[in-house]
Amino acid sequence: MEKDQTAAAGKTPSDTSLSTQWKAVCGLLRAEIGEAAYQSWLKPMTVREVVDGELRISVPTRFMRDWIIAHYLDRLCELWADENAAVKSVDVYIQSEREMETAPSRKKTSSGDAGSSGNGGSKDYRVDISAPLDQRYTFEQFVVGKPNEFAYAAARRIAEASKVVFNPLFLYGGVGLGKTHLMQAIAWHIRERTPDRTVIYLSAEKFMYRFIRALREKNTVNFKEQFRSVDVLMIDDVQFISGKESTQEEFFHTFNSLVDQGRQIVLSADKSPSDLEGMEERLISRLNYGLVADIHATTYELRLGILHSKAEKISMEIPQKVLEFLAHKITANVRELEGGLNRVVAHAQLVGREISLEATQDVLHDLLRANDRRVTIEEIQKRVAVHFNIRVSDMHSARRARSVARPRQVAMYLAKQLTARSLPEIGRKFGGRDHTTVMHAVKKVDELREQDSSFAEDVELLRRMLEG
Ligand code: ADP
Ligand code: MG
C-alpha cells in the first residue's frame, strides 16, 4: 500500500480517520481509473481537513488542480460522501497558494509530482503564468466540419507531434468560431499525454499586462526567463498586441528565441497576419512563416452538428425541428448558437414544459431579431443580382426595364423582410428611391408570389440563402 498521503503529523484523531477514509476512497478510484492515472493525479493529492462539510485537498500545481476538478471531482465527491457522511463537498486547492497565505511550516512536495523535472519550484511558477483552461474545450468536444477542418487538423497535428512540425501555428477567424476552444484543446492534449512539457496558454492582453508590469518593476529579465523556458507557448487574440510597439518588440524577441530553441508557438487572432493593423513588417513575415489556418464562418450543417453534440449532453428531449430552426436562424457564431440553446433549455426547465418550436421562437425573440438584422441590404442586392443575372449597379440605377425592375423589387421586398431597416432607409439604398416605391415593391412581390408559384419559390430560395 502507498505511503500515507495525508498530512498526519501533529494532527487530531479525526485526521487519522480521514487518512483511513482517503485510503479507501483512493483504492476504489484507483480501480476505476487505472494505475497510470492514479499515479499522475491521485497520488500527489494531500487530504487536509474537513471544514463545514467541505473536504479540503491540496495539490502541488494549478494544472493538477484544473485537471482533477475537470475529471475526477464529481466521482471524488460521491466516493467521499459514501465513506464519510459529514463530507458534503470537496475543494481542491494549490498547496503553495494557501501555504503562503497562512504560512505554516513548509510541507514536503510529493515526489510523485507528475512531470517534475528537477527544479519543481520554478516549474510550478511557470505553470502559474498560464490561464486556467476550460474543461469543455477539448478535441473530443469540438465538432469538425468544412469551415474548421483545416484548423482542426493543424491543431491536432501540433498536439500530437513530439517535435515541432511548423512554427508558429497561426489560427485566425471571426468571433466565437472556436479559436480559443482549439487552442485549449491543444493544451489539454499535450498536458495529458506529456505532462512534463510546459504548456502556457494566455491571452495577449495578459501577456502585455505582465510585460508592462515587468518593465515598471524593472524585472524584464525574469519575464523573459519565464516565457523563454516553456515548451509550448500559446497566445490568444494577438490582435491586441498590434499597435503596442514595446510589447511587440518584446513579443518578437521572445518569439524568436523560442523558435530558435525549437519550441512550439501557437497564436490566434481575429484576422490574418497580413491584415493585422499596426503590426510590424518583420513580425508579420515571421508569423506568415509558419502555418496559417483560418476558421471560416459556420455552415448550416456545422451548426446543426454542433447543436446535436450539445443536445446529447442535455438531459432533456429537444425536438429535431427546434435544432434545425436554431441552426437556421442563429448564424452569427457558435457562441450565440450555444447561448440560444441554453436559454431554450433553461426556460423549459424553469416553466416545467417540454421544448417546442413556439416556445423557442418566443424565448429567443430578441436574439433572432438581432441575427436577422445581420443580413445587410448590400448582401441582399448582391445575391439577388447574381440570382437574376443582372449587375449590382442596376439595383441603384434608374432603368425601368422589367428585367432589372423586377429583381430590384424582389431585393427591396427581401430587405423589408430580412432587415430592421425602415422603408425610407431601404429606398435610400436603392439609388435614393422614395419610400412609396419600396412599399409598392413589397405589395407587388406579395401579389406575384400568390399568382406565380415558381416566382414564389425563387423568392423563398433567396430568402433561405440570405438567412444562412
Ligand atoms: P473564439 O475564440 O474564436 O472567439 P471560442 O473558441 O471561444 O471562439 O468558441 C465560442 C464557443 O463556441 C465556445 O463555447 C466553444 O466551445 C464553442 N464552439 C466553437 N466552435 C465549436 C465547434 N466546432 N464544436 C463545438 N463547440 C464549438
Ligand atoms: Mg477566443
Side-chain angles (χ1 to χ4, degrees):
M1 194 59 210
E2 298 312 310
K3 267 187 305 183
D4 189 352
Q5 288 293 320
T6 57
K11 292 290 169 109
T12 57
S14 75
D15 289 315
T16 318
S17 65
L18 270 189
S19 141
T20 317
Q21 290 161 4
W22 179 222
K23 273 184 190 150
V25 169
C26 265
L28 291 168
L29 205 49
R30 187 183 195 163
E32 288 177 18
I33 67 177
E35 186 59 24
Y38 168 79
Q39 289 291 338
S40 304
W41 309 114
L42 293 188
K43 203 160 159 247
M45 296 168 85
T46 307
V47 170
R48 298 287 179 182
E49 56 195 347
V50 180
V51 179
D52 295 337
E54 183 179 76
L55 175 80
R56 301 205 169 139
I57 298 177
S58 71
V59 292
T61 67
R62 176 186 299 273
F63 170 55
M64 279 189 171
R65 185 200 58 184
D66 292 350
W67 185 271
I68 289 162
I69 289 176
H71 293 87
Y72 304 121
L73 193 65
D74 291 348
R75 193 64 190 128
L76 273 174
C77 284
E78 285 169 13
L79 290 171
W80 265 103
D82 288 347
E83 200 61 42
N84 180 343
V87 174
K88 302 281 179 250
S89 63
V90 174
D91 176 40
V92 182
Y93 66 94
I94 307 164
Q95 189 174 342
S96 50
E97 271 182 9
R98 242 176 249 186
E99 271 183 358
M100 280 197 289
E101 280 166 25
T102 55
S105 62
R106 246 189 101 72
K107 304 277 178 348
K108 71 171 178 63
T109 16
S110 165
S111 55
D113 184 353
S116 166
S117 58
N119 54 349
S122 71
K123 182 162 188 93
D124 292 355
Y125 181 42
R126 273 184 266 146
V127 169
D128 275 355
I129 302 173
S130 187
L133 303 177
D134 191 311
Q135 54 164 309
R136 297 165 305 162
Y137 293 176
T138 59
F139 283 127
E140 290 69 35
Q141 303 205 38
F142 190 82
V143 180
V144 186
K146 268 265 171 305
N148 60 26
E149 64 186 3
F150 182 57
Y152 172 82
R156 255 254 66 126
R157 188 75 209 284
I158 296 263
E160 278 159 11
S162 51
K163 57 179 194 293
V164 172
V165 270
F166 33 74
N167 220 355
L169 169 61
F170 190 99
L171 295 170
Y172 78 93
V175 172
L177 296 182
K179 300 182 294 294
T180 298
H181 188 139
L182 271 185
M183 287 182 108
Q184 296 202 3
I186 298 174
W188 277 125
H189 192 95
I190 295 177
R191 284 178 175 184
E192 182 184 16
R193 300 295 162 92
T194 42
D196 56 323
R197 291 171 82 197
T198 312
V199 183
I200 287 186
Y201 163 88
L202 80 172
S203 66
E205 276 173 311
K206 260 277 173 45
F207 179 84
M208 257 166 42
Y209 167 79
R210 281 174 182 279
F211 174 60
I212 290 162
R213 195 179 58 184
L215 274 181
R216 208 173 40 227
E217 293 168 358
K218 301 191 175 25
N219 203 5
T220 48
V221 176
N222 204 345
F223 175 84
K224 286 174 189 163
E225 272 314 299
Q226 283 171 21
F227 284 99
R228 290 182 193 182
S229 47
V230 306
D231 296 300
V232 184
L233 175 64
M234 307 203 200
I235 301 187
D236 206 352
D237 289 320
V238 296
Q239 70 269 13
F240 287 119
I241 293 186
S242 57
K244 316 273 191 321
E245 243 169 63
S246 56
T247 320
Q248 269 195 50
E249 187 72 30
E250 181 50 39
F251 180 65
F252 188 69
H253 288 309
T254 305
F255 185 94
N256 280 340
S257 111
L258 286 172
V259 169
D260 290 345
Q261 290 172 47
R263 311 298 168 92
Q264 181 68 56
I265 295 180
V266 182
L267 304 169
S268 86
D270 63 352
K271 299 188 193 68
S272 74
S274 327
D275 287 337
L276 284 173
E277 282 156 31
M279 272 287 178
E280 283 181 50
E281 266 319 307
R282 56 181 185 153
L283 191 48
I284 293 176
S285 65
R286 193 89 218 216
L287 296 178
N288 272 321
Y289 196 73
L291 184 74
V292 178
D294 57 343
I295 306 184
H296 300 274
T298 57
T299 56
Y300 173 77
E301 286 71 32
L302 179 59
R303 289 194 295 275
L304 193 60
I306 290 171
L307 286 171
H308 272 295
S309 139
K310 310 269 173 205
E312 266 173 31
K313 297 181 193 93
I314 295 169
S315 58
M316 245 185 134
E317 192 63 41
I318 306 171
Q320 172 70 10
K321 267 209 314 252
V322 168
L323 297 180
E324 285 171 6
F325 176 78
L326 292 173
H328 188 60
K329 286 289 189 180
I330 308 180
T331 56
N333 65 53
V334 182
R335 191 173 297 133
E336 279 196 5
L337 190 65
E338 273 184 343
L341 180 66
N342 289 342
R343 260 165 70 184
V344 170
V345 171
H347 177 266
Q349 281 167 345
L350 210 62
V351 300
R353 252 184 264 139
E354 286 180 359
I355 295 172
S356 69
L357 197 53
E358 292 69 38
T360 302
Q361 278 167 320
D362 232 31
V363 174
L364 298 183
H365 193 68
D366 53 332
L367 188 63
L368 296 174
R369 258 217 331 258
N371 268 274
D372 283 350
R373 220 179 281 134
R374 288 212 175 81
V375 182
T376 63
I377 294 184
E378 286 75 18
E379 281 170 73
I380 295 174
Q381 292 174 330
K382 226 183 279 165
R383 266 293 162 88
V384 175
V386 168
H387 185 83
F388 289 105
N389 206 14
I390 64 171
R391 288 192 305 258
V392 179
S393 61
D394 280 332
M395 291 289 168
H396 314 276
S397 78
R399 287 182 61 200
R400 283 159 175 259
R402 173 164 308 169
S403 60
V404 297
R406 190 71 82 225
R408 200 188 290 134
Q409 287 177 324
V410 170
M412 287 183 199
Y413 170 87
L414 288 169
K416 182 74 199 107
Q417 301 288 318
L418 301 179
T419 74
R421 301 277 170 211
S422 66
L423 294 176
E425 278 177 305
I426 295 173
R428 271 199 292 282
K429 296 262 186 182
F430 284 83
R433 287 180 157 76
D434 195 73
H435 77 276
T436 53
T437 309
V438 183
M439 220 153 68
H440 174 72
V442 172
K443 230 172 87 199
K444 185 78 200 165
V445 171
D446 262 334
E447 276 170 26
L448 285 171
R449 284 173 57 228
E450 300 247 313
Q451 295 158 9
D452 180 345
S453 66
S454 87
F455 178 80
E457 261 171 41
D458 263 7
V459 175
E460 192 45 40
L461 185 72
L462 278 165
R463 175 218 287 281
R464 241 185 276 150
M465 285 197 304
L466 284 161
E467 280 177 340

